[in-house]
Amino acid sequence: MMTTPLLALRDVSKSFGRLHPLRRVNLDVRPGEVLGLLGDNGAGKSTLIKVLAGVHQPTSGDILWNGERITLPSPREAMARGISVVYQDLGIIPLLSIWRNFFLGREEDHAIHLPGHLLLKRREMRRIARAALQSLGIHIDDVDLTVAKLSGGERQSIAIARAVHFQSKLLILDEPTAALSLKETAKVLHYVREARNKGVAVVLITHNIAHACEVCDRFTVLFHGTVAETTERGNVTEQGLANLINTGSRHLQKIAV
């Protein structure tokens, strides 16, 4: 019996005047899976992310959450549903400490409210941040370090751990391995697996097919704003994915001379 998708898009289109970056997109994200969202520049990936994040509303079509039709009128509403988006800039402030970044935007839930002032429960927040990182196998001894002192992979790990800890049901990662070393990339892909193992559905947006093939259960390939194909990992080769990204078809067409 098929599980109801956590998130489903049904014939979702998005237009900006004469521009049509998304055309009748159908997409399912299942609970506890990693879905690779692939496509060349201009394929519609960024617009699709922003629709899921509540930044853009579809021009037409439906968004379903656990089978229920919903709207996402704002990023706050998307976050309240359990959708967490980690963009390439990570939403992290380099000059703040690790634990402050971990609770960024959620400070009020861990503070004593005084007239005109919030008194942060610093010891508690440090403990929670450290434990949340360790639960994903991320070992950072000093959570008072500023994020500026961390590597790119470590910064990604904080963003992923933050989403998992705050019980995001869907984690969308935008190019999480871009500009990382091989060692750092391996760590980030490990954290993606750990998020999946904790029941979080992950949408992984990447240009690197090899990285996607390491962790993704299924792939959806966008081509000029439409879905070229959705397929299980075992049913496609890396070359087939490359062809889909470049031409919209698994099979390269012979050019008549």
Side-chain angles (χ1 to χ4, degrees):
M1 190 172 86
M2 290 295 291
T3 303
T4 300
L6 173 67
L7 174 81
L9 302 185
R10 295 291 177 256
D11 291 330
V12 165
S13 298
K14 180 61 182 176
S15 300
F16 300 96
R18 294 183 178 180
L19 297 176
H20 306 283
L22 296 178
R23 300 171 184 263
R24 299 179 68 85
V25 168
N26 288 283
L27 177 145
D28 290 346
V29 185
R30 302 166 184 167
E33 77 163 348
V34 181
L35 176 71
L37 182 63
L38 308 179
D40 208 348
N41 292 333
K45 301 189 305 298
S46 295
T47 302
L48 182 55
I49 294 170
K50 290 176 180 177
V51 167
L52 298 180
V55 176
H56 295 325
Q57 282 66 55
T59 303
S60 61
D62 295 321
I63 302 174
L64 305 178
W65 185 255
N66 285 319
E68 174 191 356
R69 186 177 181 277
I70 64 167
T71 59
L72 298 172
S74 68
R76 183 177 293 275
E77 179 63 26
M79 187 180 294
R81 289 275 179 184
I83 300 172
S84 180
V85 184
V86 180
Y87 295 102
Q88 281 183 274
D89 62 10
L90 299 177
I92 280 176
I93 300 176
L95 295 181
L96 287 182
S97 67
I98 293 169
W99 68 268
R100 283 299 304 273
N101 271 287
F102 190 85
F103 286 96
L104 200 62
R106 293 180 169 92
E107 293 88 349
E108 289 190 15
D109 297 333
H110 296 272
I112 298 170
H113 293 251
L114 301 174
H117 186 64
L118 286 178
L119 184 61
L120 296 179
K121 299 177 181 177
R122 294 170 178 264
R123 182 177 298 179
E124 174 185 294
M125 293 166 81
R126 287 186 180 94
R127 176 183 57 77
I128 292 172
R130 190 179 295 110
L133 290 165
Q134 289 176 349
S135 74
L136 279 184
I138 303 162
H139 300 290
I140 297 176
D141 295 328
D142 187 2
V143 293
D144 283 307
L145 285 175
T146 60
V147 168
K149 296 180 180 178
L150 302 181
S151 67
E154 288 171 329
R155 295 185 191 196
Q156 284 284 357
S157 73
I158 292 168
I160 294 170
R162 181 172 63 188
V164 172
H165 175 76
F166 288 109
Q167 299 182 335
S168 295
K169 296 179 178 66
L170 174 62
L171 174 59
I172 301 171
L173 298 173
D174 182 18
E175 298 287 353
T177 59
L180 296 186
S181 68
L182 290 175
K183 184 176 180 181
E184 292 280 275
T185 293
K187 287 181 180 179
V188 169
L189 296 180
H190 169 73
Y191 302 143
V192 171
R193 294 188 193 96
E194 287 299 304
R196 175 182 57 194
N197 292 342
K198 291 181 180 296
V200 178
V202 181
V203 174
L204 177 68
I205 296 95
T206 180
H207 279 89
N208 193 305
I209 297 172
H211 295 169
C213 287
E214 283 192 49
V215 294
C216 293
D217 302 298
R218 293 188 304 131
F219 304 99
T220 291
V221 179
L222 293 180
F223 184 75
H224 291 177
T226 65
V227 174
E229 188 174 331
T230 294
T231 181
E232 302 285 338
R233 170 67 188 93
N235 295 335
V236 67
T237 64
E238 289 189 27
Q239 185 59 56
L241 287 171
N243 292 346
L244 280 165
I245 291 168
N246 292 325
T247 70
S249 170
R250 290 199 195 197
H251 308 292
L252 294 176
Q253 302 296 316
K254 291 184 179 180
I255 300 174
V257 179

